[in-house]
Structure formats: structure tokens, C-alpha cells
Amino acid sequence: MQNLTGKNIAILATNGFEQSELEVPLNTLRDAGATVHVISPETGEIKGWDKTDWGDSVPVDKALSNASADDYDAIVLPGGQINPDLLRVEPKAIELIKAFWEQKKVVAAVCHAPWLLIEAGVVSGRKVTSYPSIKTDVINAGGLWEDSEVVVDKGLITSRKPDDLPAFCDKIGEEILEGKHESRAA
């Protein structure tokens, strides 16, 4: 992983995030020197889902109501089935994702989190991967679905599952260091 000192990254999550899909990027990006904030509609702590049962809690650094894309270089969207399903009906969550996209910043989603990208209207015409069970949702939203470990399309990074997290995190670092992705249409 490249040195990300001076870079600020948001992780948007709520109760039911897939444990590894939040913690691996959080720890990897912090270890690379980035400042990483967990942003949530909840305050205090949010509880993860660890494969088949509730997992550990993580502290929330900033309430979604106080979060702005202006303060960050990238947003990471953990998956799991619960987390993105709850967040995609939160207007402020979708507004935040759209703001990152419109500012041509890095948007990274793993597993079921492309549901959030669909809701934010950013997958149409983009190469995307996801957990296989939402492949049809991605295609129906106009995404160009690929069965690949990690797919990058002009600052949009998607990954299939927890096994792919090391490559996913590497791509987040690379894309952040490239800067704004001016060639993509908002």
C-alpha cells in the first residue's frame, strides 16, 4: 500500500456492516497514513455482522448529518446484506455518495454495497463488479458487470467479496493518489 499521509477517507456504514469489509479497509488505510472516519446515521457505535452472527462494534467518528464530501478524498462503502440495504433508503447517505461522485473523487464499494451506487445513480455505463447475487441489479441499473476480483472505472472501485479486500484496498490507495478523475461524467 502506498503512503496516504495527508489523505482523508470516509467509510459510510450503519449497523449490520460486514465486519471484515469495514475493518480491513479501515485498518489498511490508517496503516498507510490516511485519516479515516467512520460516518454513520447513528452516533456512538455501530455493530458489525461477522459472516453468520453479530460481530464487534466500531466507534462512529462523525454523524452522517455532519459529513461532507468536501472534507474527504474518497468514500468506502462496506457491504454485507444489511448495511447497504439500510443505507440505500437514507436520503443523506445517497446525497453524500452522489457528492463524492460529482466532485470526481474516489468511490469504492464492496460486496452488496453497489446497491448504494445503484441508488445514487452512478453505475450506468460503468464497469462494475459485486457479490454475484446482485449481478442482475447492477445490470438492470445499466452497469457493465464483470466477474472480477476488483474492477476500476475512472475512480469507481468495486470488489466482489471479503477475500478480495487486499486488492480492493490497494486500488483505493492507487486511485486516491491519482487525484480527481476529471474524464468521467457526473
Side-chain angles (χ1 to χ4, degrees):
M1 169 70 62
Q2 305 84 340
N3 184 337
L4 298 176
T5 301
K7 300 300 182 184
N8 298 308
I9 302 167
I11 297 179
L12 178 60
T14 192
N15 289 302
F17 63 87
E18 184 64 39
Q19 197 81 43
S20 63
E21 294 174 15
L22 185 147
E23 289 183 342
V24 171
L26 175 71
N27 295 328
T28 301
L29 297 167
R30 281 184 176 164
D31 288 348
T35 299
V36 184
H37 291 151
V38 174
I39 296 172
S40 181
E42 289 79 25
T43 57
E45 293 184 331
I46 52 175
K47 193 164 190 71
W49 184 262
D50 195 2
K51 297 180 184 81
T52 60
D53 201 356
W54 290 102
D56 297 327
S57 295
V58 298
V60 173
D61 298 302
K62 187 178 277 192
L64 176 59
S65 59
N66 296 325
S68 171
D70 297 340
D71 299 332
Y72 299 95
D73 299 291
I75 188 168
V76 177
L77 307 170
Q81 294 174 329
I82 301 168
N83 180 64
D85 197 39
L86 293 175
L87 286 174
R88 67 183 173 163
V89 296
E90 286 283 338
K92 287 192 182 299
I94 300 309
E95 289 168 19
L96 183 64
I97 296 164
K98 283 181 182 179
F100 274 89
W101 186 250
E102 290 166 358
Q103 292 180 26
K104 300 177 178 11
K105 294 180 176 180
V106 173
V107 176
V110 63
C111 190
H112 287 76
W115 271 339
L116 293 166
L117 302 176
I118 291 167
E119 199 65 36
V122 301
V123 301
S124 184
R126 300 283 169 206
K127 293 185 287 182
V128 180
T129 195
S130 67
Y131 196 74
S133 68
I134 68 166
K135 169 185 175 180
T136 301
D137 298 339
V138 170
I139 292 168
N140 287 342
L144 308 173
W145 194 85
E146 294 181 14
D147 185 15
S148 299
E149 179 181 59
V150 178
V151 173
V152 180
D153 189 342
K154 297 182 177 112
L156 179 64
I157 306 163
T158 51
S159 188
R160 292 180 304 202
K161 57 189 179 203
D163 294 347
D164 304 329
L165 287 170
F168 178 68
C169 291
D170 285 344
K171 288 297 181 186
I172 293 169
E174 288 175 22
E175 292 294 301
I176 288 171
L177 293 175
E178 282 184 17
K180 289 189 178 185
H181 292 78
E182 300 295 341
S183 63
R184 74 175 181 214

